[in-house]
C-alpha cells in the first residue's frame, strides 16, 4: 500500500509517497519557506495543493496520508486515525509543543482538504515512550505543579527508536520481546532510549526535545538553575529559550552545529571544536552507562541517524574501554563505511553493537498502513 507521508514544519512541508511494504519512495520532496515573501506557497494549504499536483504527476496513488506529529501528550500512545476529536487532542498538546504541534495541525488541515477521501493517520514522536514506568517519567517536582502543567518525561524520536530496536532484534534472530536494546539516535537532534522487550522504559528527552544528550544547537541536560540565574540577571524567557535551543550544543561550544565541520576544525587544531565533540561523546557514554544499569545489561546497542550512522570517531569515543560492561568494538568494522545495517562489535563482545540506518518515513508509512488496514 502506498502512503503519503507528511512532515509539516512551521515554514516547510516535507512529503514522500512510500510503499509501506518495501519502503520504496515513489516521489519525495520539500516545500520550503512557506509564508515567506516570494515563496512558492503562501500557506500550508497552497503548499499541499502543490504536493497533490506533484504526486498526481508522478503517477503515485497513495491510499492513506500519514502525518508526523511531534507531541501526543499522555493521550496518544499509538498511531491514530485522524478525526475532529483527534485534531482537538493534538491542539490540546500545543502548550507542550508550541512550535511543532500547530505546524502539524496546519499540515493535517490542508491534507484533509486536498485529500478528503483518504484516511489520515497521526504518528506521534512521543507514542513509543508511553510504556515508560512512572519511576522513569516522573519529575521530582511539586505534584500539583507537575500535574497542572503536565510536566513529566514524554520522550521523542519514538518512531526511530522503535524502528531500529526492532531491526536489531531481527538481526539478532530474536523476537523484539526477547531482547533488551539501547538505541542511540544521533542526528541534529539526539536522544537515547532503553528498550526492554520491545518497549521503551527510559529515554533522554523530556517534556520537550531539549533534554538529554548534547545536540547540534541544543544544550541537552544542564543544571536546571541556570535559566533561573540568567532570568534573575534580566534575560527574558525568549532569550533563554533561544540560548538553549539555538545557540548551544556543538555550535555553542565548538562554533559549528555540523559534526563534519567540528571534526575539520578539530583536525586543524581548534581546541573548542575538539572539546565540543568530547563533551558530545561523554554525554552519550553517560546515558549509555545509565541505560546499561536500567536494563541490567543489554543484548544490543544501536547507533543511528546522521552521526550514529556515519561517524566512526563518535562511536569509538562512546564505546572505548567498556569491555567490563560487555561492550567491545571491532575497530576495522567500526571504521568501515556503508549504508546497510551492520555489526561493529567484536565477535566475542557480549553486547552486539550495530549501525542501523533509521528510516522514519518508512516507519510512519508502515504504521499508517497498519492502523488503517482492516
Ligand atoms: P536530522 O536530525 O536533521 O535528521 P541527521 O540525522 O541528518 O539530522 O544528522 C545530521 C548530523 O549528522 C550532522 O551533525 C552531520 O554533520 C552528521 N553527519 C552526516 N554525515 C556525516 C558523516 N559522513 N560523518 C560525520 N557526521 C556526519
Amino acid at each position: 500500500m502506498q502512503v503519503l507521508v507528511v512532515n509539516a514544519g512551521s515554514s516547510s512541508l516535507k512529503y514522500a509517497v512510500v510503499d509501506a511494504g518495501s519502503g520504496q519512495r515513489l516521489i519525495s520532496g520539500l516545500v520550503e519557506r512557506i509564508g515567506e515573501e516570494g515563496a512558492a506557497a503562501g500557506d500550508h494549504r497552497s503548499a499541499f495543493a502543490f504536493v497533490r499536483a506533484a504526486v498526481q504527476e508522478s503517477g503515485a496513488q497513495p491510499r492513506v496520508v500519514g502525518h508526523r506529529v511531534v507531541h501526543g501528550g499522555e493521550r496518544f500512545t499509538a498511531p491514530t486515525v485522524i478525526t475532529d476529536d483527534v485534531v482537538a487532542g493534538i491542539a490540546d498538546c500545543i502548550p507542550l509543543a508550541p512550535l511543532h504541534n500547530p505546524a502539524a495541525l496546519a499540515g493535517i488541515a490542508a491534507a484533509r482538504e486536498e485529500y478528503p477521501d483518504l484516511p489520515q493517520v497521526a504518528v506521534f514522536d512521543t507514542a513509543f515512550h508511553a510504556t515508560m514506568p512512572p519511576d522513569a517519567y516522573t519529575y521530582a517536582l511539586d505534584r500539583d505543579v507537575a500535574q497542572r502543567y503536565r510536566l513529566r518525561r514524554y520522550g521523542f524520536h519514538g518512531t526511530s527508536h522503535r524502528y531500529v530496536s526492532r531491526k536489531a532484534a531481527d538481526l539478532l534472530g530474536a523476537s523484539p520481546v526477547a531482547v533488551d536494546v539501547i538505541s542511540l539516535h544521533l542526528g541534529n537532534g539526539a536522544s537515547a532510549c532503553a528498550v526492554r522487550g520491545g518497549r521503551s522504559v527510559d529515554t533522554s528527552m523530556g517534556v520537550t526535545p531539549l533534554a538529554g544528550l548534547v545536540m547540534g544547537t541544543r544544550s541537552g541536560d544542564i543544571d536546571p538553575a541556570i535559566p533561573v540565574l540568567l532570568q534573575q540577571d534580566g534575560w527574558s524567557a525568549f532569550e533563554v529559550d533561544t540560548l538553549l535551543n539555538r545557540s548551544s550544543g556543538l555550535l555553542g561550544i565548538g562554533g559549528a552545529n555540523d559534526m563534519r565541520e567540528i571534526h575539520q576544525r578539530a583536525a586543524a587544531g581548534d581546541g573548542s571544536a575538539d572539546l565540543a565533540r568530547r563533551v558530545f561523546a561523554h554525554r552519550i557514554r553517560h546515558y549509555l552507562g545509565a541505560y546499561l544499569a536500567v536494563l541490567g545489561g543489554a543484548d544490543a546497542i544501536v547507533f543511528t541517524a546522521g552521526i550514529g550512522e556515519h561517524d566512526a570517531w563518535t562511536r569509538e569515543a562512546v564505546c572505548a574501554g567498556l569491555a567490563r560492561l560487555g561492550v567491545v568494538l571491532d575497530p576495522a568494522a567500526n571504521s568501515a563505511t556503508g549504508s546497510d545495517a551492520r555489526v561493529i562489535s567484536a565477535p566475542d563482545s557480549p553486547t552486539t553493537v550495530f549501525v542501523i540506518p533509521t528510516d522514519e518515513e518508512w516507519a510512519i508509512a508502515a504504521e499508517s498502513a497498519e492502523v488503517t488496514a482492516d
Side-chain angles (χ1 to χ4, degrees):
M1 185 199 284
Q2 295 180 15
V3 179
L4 173 56
V5 177
V6 177
N7 186 351
S10 54
S11 66
S12 68
L13 191 75
K14 198 164 174 244
Y15 65 96
V17 177
V18 183
D19 183 286
S22 68
Q24 190 204 339
R25 304 317 196 254
L26 290 103
I27 176 177
S28 64
L30 174 68
V31 185
E32 281 182 294
R33 299 176 53 228
I34 296 171
E36 287 175 27
E37 211 176 318
D43 57 18
H44 283 80
R45 180 73 203 277
S46 55
F48 224 96
F50 170 85
V51 169
R52 196 182 65 162
V55 168
Q56 205 156 19
E57 199 176 322
S58 75
Q61 292 196 313
R63 294 279 173 260
V64 179
V65 185
H67 296 268
R68 173 174 183 233
V69 182
V70 166
H71 218 304
E74 289 198 306
R75 170 169 168 188
F76 297 108
T77 60
T80 305
V81 176
I82 295 173
T83 60
D84 290 343
D85 180 52
V86 169
V87 167
I90 295 170
D92 191 45
C93 295
I94 288 175
L96 300 170
L99 296 178
H100 289 113
N101 274 27
L105 286 169
I108 288 168
R112 291 176 95 193
E113 286 176 23
E114 291 293 330
Y115 286 100
D117 300 330
L118 295 190
Q120 315 261 337
V121 178
V123 178
F124 298 91
D125 269 18
T126 47
F128 180 57
H129 304 296
T131 49
M132 280 188 293
D135 322 34
Y137 73 65
T138 305
Y139 290 131
L141 291 168
D142 178 286
R143 287 189 73 165
D144 294 337
V145 175
Q147 251 169 24
R148 185 162 7 123
Y149 291 95
R150 294 191 277 168
L151 302 177
R152 48 157 285 179
R153 184 183 303 284
Y154 293 95
F156 299 86
H157 291 142
T159 306
S160 177
H161 289 304
R162 178 177 187 269
Y163 174 84
V164 298
S165 58
R166 290 172 80 98
K167 180 96 183 175
D170 208 35
L171 293 168
L172 289 171
S175 154
V177 299
V179 293
D180 297 336
V181 180
I182 297 170
S183 164
L184 302 170
H185 179 111
L186 311 176
N188 279 313
S191 70
C193 181
V195 183
R196 173 180 285 134
R199 295 153 71 92
S200 170
V201 294
D202 208 348
T203 192
S204 58
M205 285 175 165
V207 179
T208 76
L210 179 58
L213 303 181
V214 175
M215 312 183 210
T217 64
R218 286 175 242 161
S219 63
D221 294 342
I222 56 167
D223 184 331
I226 291 172
V228 180
L229 294 178
L230 295 176
Q231 283 174 309
Q232 281 169 342
D233 197 45
W235 288 54
S236 69
F238 176 79
E239 287 167 334
V240 173
D241 180 66
T242 304
L243 171 77
L244 299 179
N245 275 297
R246 297 185 187 279
S247 47
S248 295
L250 293 175
L251 177 66
I253 305 173
N257 68 305
D258 189 300
M259 186 55 99
R260 286 165 292 196
E261 194 177 336
I262 290 286
H263 287 315
Q264 282 162 9
R265 290 178 179 219
D270 180 337
S272 302
D274 185 49
L275 179 63
R277 64 185 184 177
R278 286 191 284 120
V279 173
F280 179 81
H282 179 84
R283 184 77 52 82
I284 302 166
R285 280 174 79 88
H286 187 99
Y287 273 94
L288 178 59
Y291 291 168
L292 284 167
V294 165
L295 295 171
D299 299 291
I301 295 167
V302 181
F303 284 91
T304 193
I307 297 170
E309 291 166 30
H310 301 292
D311 192 10
W313 185 96
T314 294
R315 296 191 300 252
E316 157 70 22
V318 168
C319 296
L322 298 186
R324 282 208 287 183
L325 298 179
V327 181
V328 185
L329 278 195
D330 175 336
N334 183 43
S335 324
T337 53
S339 55
D340 291 338
R342 56 197 187 277
V343 174
I344 59 167
S345 49
D348 59 350
S349 177
T351 297
T352 306
V353 185
F354 291 103
V355 171
I356 299 179
T358 193
D359 191 339
E360 287 170 285
E361 278 177 354
W362 183 14
I364 291 171
E367 293 187 25
S368 301
E370 200 178 320
V371 32
T372 49
D374 41 35

